[in-house]
Amino acid sequence: MSEEKVLELAQGISAEVVGDRYNTPGMADAIRRAGAEGIVLLRNDDDVLPVGDERLALFGRCQVDTFYVGYGSGGDVKALHKVSVLDGLEAAGLRLDKELSRSYRDWCGANPVSAGEWGRWAYSYPEMPLDEEQIRRAAAENDKAIVVIGRAAGEDGDLSLKEGEYYLSQDERELLSQIDKSFEQVIVLLNIGNIIDLSWLSDYSHIKGAMIIWQLGQEMGHAVADVVTGRISPSGHLTQTIARRYEDYPSSAYFGDPDRNEYKEGLDVGYRGLYRTPERILYPFGYGLSYTTFEITGRGLSEAHGGFVMGAEIRNTGRRSGKGLAQVYLKKPNRSPELAAFAKSDELAPGESEYVELFIEKDQLDVFDPDSCSYIREKGDYGFFLGNSPIDLYSRQGSICIDRRQIVKKCETITESSDQLKQRIIDNMPDEIGTASDQRIDFSSVIKGEKRLCDFVAQLSPEELSDLSRGEGPMDSSLSVKGNTGVFGGITERLRSRGIPVVNTSDGPSGLRINYYCALLPIGTALAASYNPLLVEQMYEREADEMKHYGVDIFLGPGMNIQRNPLCGRNFEYYSEDPYLTGRIASAAVRGLERHGAAACIKHFACNDQETNRNRNDSCVDERTLREIYLKAFYMVIRDAHPKCIMTSYNKVNGVWSHYNYDLVTTLLRREWGFKGLVITDWWMQMAESPEFPGVRDNAYRVRAGVNVLMPGGLGVDVASFIHDDNIERTLTLGELQKNAAEVLGFIRDLKRDQDYGSCL
Ligand code: BGC
């Protein structure tokens, strides 16, 4: 199949929508609350926000053509409805300039926008031209101007350093200049998924207020209105550092190469690198204003529950109610501070306070030492600080001193040479599951716990084992819910006759990508910016209810790659430049999704931090950086939330495609981390031969690496060569194929049991 064909299929779910509009109980409210809590107030000079009964002139076409989500599989939801910024502010009863808003509505109607082409998306739209007279009238008749600046990004392409992408477009500059000349008080609402250049905020002397309103899904306008009007005080905080210039980002010199993506900045991702040059930071990680003020006072640090507990009192010292955020940073010897815990208060009235406890796991003290291939605790002082950001640590709450270097955990390397890898693969070859005496076990009796999984597997033929290692083939499979992203499991008559059900998948993460009207959720970055895992968990619990309604088994999300660089096209789906924050928020999403039996599929494992040439790109990362930055969040989610499924990435990691990467998937994920669930590929994989076993190719190579299912599927393992030749240099062993099937079926068994349990609740 040609690469173009593959790409076309990988994108292909029709836009047709069927069925009724199912409103998941409580979903709209959960989306609105989570969205509003993610909004980050950057600037609020002269208390220009919130607005009350002032007369407001609303500018910028994105008030009508609001970006609700980014482009690609992570945003392709047939939304139930969408509330634009203009609709939301109007519904909130604000005194908007009616004539101006009407002009925007009419002009946007007459000049419709298009998303562009797959991978070459419309990142920004042309602005409505305004003449001097219109601006003069609006300035004369209104007290404040609000300008909505919008930017989107999407899958399979990165933003570039062009106007209208990372930089403001000419249209946007022109609009801002016109408004800045005529209005005394200007508020900018940034309707963005990626961080863009924001150095221009200080180029216009009348910009008093600036707020990142992100892309907040279907309730966008309402959530924005909640914060603009002060019904809710902003409590979102940045999940990425905003540098003064693109060149200031530590990854900027190394990002974007189509072939080799060298992670030369190493550990210095985002604030970890910029910490040493704070003058390059425009707004730091963790930053976010409120309409009120908080005093956060530490109440000491103690050792408890196998880690450390810091107490803190969050007191509202201002004149409005709001939620405060306590951030704990850990400063290890010779390292930049790292976010180690955070806790948000409930809504506090002026004068009110709340005591929060922040837990810091002991392993946060550890660093990876590549020489001994182990996690170690360095000799020296470890300081625990409260801070508003890594560059604003205001109170040391405690410290511990380690008097000698300690090895905490010895590991197997995951970046070793091919020879040693081959020996390790051979040493760990799974045994064959003996031939079954009973050839008629139905899978339903395995689900019920009456029969053993291995006895069921033992009766399967090589063809059946092979069919379990692949999806059916097409997206929108006729075997399942309309518009599904692909199915596996009972994909043939034979497998179904044995009682194996069809298992379907749907993207994620901003809602279900099926041919029904579904809820459109806020983007990942906005959710993380809420620093409120509970809110995220509650929202995704409702998403699971929607999955149950439509019969969706696996939600392909959350997306949890690290925001290494602001240009990455899929940053909107991801959470943060920080692995700890990513791990906490992704765990919350998984817990919500899986609470009543559905399966989450965390993705993309690993280092899919760039979209340019993502199918062939090689992410070249040293083992320390890999483990401490790019894998840590995955580890946290597996440890804390036990997701049922994980998806490999399209790209290579240190020369080996993730879907063939034995060290990532077997050595690390399964053996070191103890992952017991299902590993699936991203949608299609590159065909290749194993360097360790040159006769082993494609799906056999993948199964040997420990990647269970090729999605959306098509060809399985070449069974003929396997039956006629059991030489491991040339083919898989029966034991390997059986182990693979046992993992797939173990997943299906657990899923069906949990779904059954969920439906009794
Ligand atoms: C994306 C995945 C997505 C899959 C199915 C791929 O192109 O990388 O995130 O889940 O398509 O739509």
Side-chain angles (χ1 to χ4, degrees), residues 6 82 101 146 162 182 257 322 350 372 378 434 465 502 505 665 680 748:
V6 167
K82 293 176 190 165
S101 296
I146 300 182
K162 286 191 191 141
S182 313
D257 189 282
S372 60
E378 294 281 13
L465 294 171
V502 173
T505 63
V665 174
I680 63 176
I748 300 178

Side-chain angles (χ1 to χ4, degrees), residues 465-757:
L465 294 171
S466 168
D467 286 339
L468 284 169
S469 83
R470 65 176 181 94
E472 186 202 17
M475 291 168 81
D476 195 5
S477 160
S478 59
L479 295 176
S480 188
V481 53
K482 262 201 116 11
N484 63 78
T485 311
V487 302
F488 66 95
I491 56 169
T492 62
E493 285 291 345
R494 178 90 189 113
L495 290 174
R496 286 196 291 280
S497 75
R498 289 193 180 276
I500 300 174
V502 173
V503 176
N504 67 40
T505 63
S506 163
D507 284 305
S510 285
L512 295 179
R513 185 194 189 195
I514 51 178
N515 285 3
Y516 292 85
Y517 291 107
C518 288
L520 178 60
L521 315 179
I523 58 168
T525 313
L527 295 175
S530 75
Y531 282 75
N532 192 336
L534 193 60
L535 216 51
V536 175
E537 185 173 331
Q538 288 167 348
M539 191 193 72
Y540 274 110
E541 200 175 332
R542 292 188 166 78
E543 183 65 16
D545 179 75
E546 194 164 292
M547 289 171 71
K548 201 192 302 174
H549 178 82
Y550 289 117
V552 173
D553 298 311
I554 303 183
F555 182 84
L556 300 174
M560 47 178 296
N561 294 94
I562 291 293
Q563 293 171 338
R564 173 181 174 228
N565 185 282
L567 301 183
C568 172
R570 292 183 90 172
N571 274 356
F572 74 93
E573 293 182 52
Y574 305 150
Y575 296 128
S576 172
E577 68 187 21
D578 180 77
Y580 175 78
L581 177 59
T582 300
R584 289 277 307 272
I585 301 295
S587 295
V590 170
R591 274 196 294 269
L593 284 164
E594 296 203 343
R595 170 141 311 123
H596 303 303
C601 179
I602 58 175
K603 65 187 188 184
H604 311 86
F605 191 63
C607 297
N608 187 175
D609 312 297
Q610 170 178 309
E611 288 296 291
T612 302
N613 207 18
R614 61 180 176 160
N615 294 297
R616 296 178 178 278
N617 203 286
D618 188 2
S619 294
C620 305
V621 204
D622 67 87
E623 186 154 353
R624 182 195 333 234
T625 305
L626 191 56
R627 283 176 177 268
E628 289 195 28
I629 305 285
Y630 296 96
L631 299 175
K632 180 175 167 174
F634 285 101
Y635 166 67
M636 284 175 65
V637 176
I638 284 160
R639 180 193 63 189
D640 299 342
H642 317 292
K644 291 192 176 86
C645 184
I646 186 168
M647 183 194 293
T648 54
S649 57
Y650 280 130
N651 53 281
K652 294 179 183 173
V653 178
N654 292 322
V656 184
W657 271 295
S658 294
H659 44 259
Y660 295 134
N661 206 313
Y662 182 91
D663 275 333
L664 266 185
V665 174
T666 295
T667 309
L668 184 82
L669 178 69
R670 290 204 187 274
R671 280 212 291 274
E672 190 178 316
W673 295 354
F675 179 69
K676 297 274 184 290
L678 182 79
V679 186
I680 63 176
T681 64
D682 197 342
W683 262 229
W684 304 102
M685 62 177 205
Q686 300 299 315
M687 299 302 152
E689 180 177 72
S690 159
E692 292 79 31
F693 305 93
V696 176
R697 292 193 57 86
D698 311 335
N699 284 301
Y701 181 16
R702 167 182 62 80
V703 169
R704 178 159 289 172
V707 177
N708 303 125
V709 180
L710 166 70
M711 287 304 289
L715 288 181
V717 173
D718 174 5
V719 173
S721 69
F722 154 80
I723 298 172
H724 299 300
D725 176 0
D726 61 359
N727 179 349
I728 60 162
E729 297 290 338
R730 288 192 288 268
T731 185
L732 291 177
T733 66
L734 178 61
E736 284 176 291
L737 208 48
Q738 286 177 324
K739 170 180 167 285
N740 190 69
E743 283 165 351
V744 176
L745 293 169
F747 163 85
I748 300 178
R749 176 198 58 198
D750 295 349
L751 177 75
K752 291 298 154 193
R753 280 182 188 168
D754 287 1
Q755 284 177 335
D756 189 32
Y757 161 79

Side-chain angles (χ1 to χ4, degrees), residues 291-309:
Y291 295 150
T292 185
T293 49
F294 295 95
E295 190 176 86
I296 301 173
T297 317
R299 296 279 179 252
L301 184 81
S302 54
E303 279 204 58
H305 316 302
F308 306 92
V309 176

Side-chain angles (χ1 to χ4, degrees), residues 426-438:
I426 293 172
D427 293 346
N428 286 295
M429 276 288 163
D431 293 334
E432 209 168 284
I433 301 174
T435 327
S437 49
D438 183 350

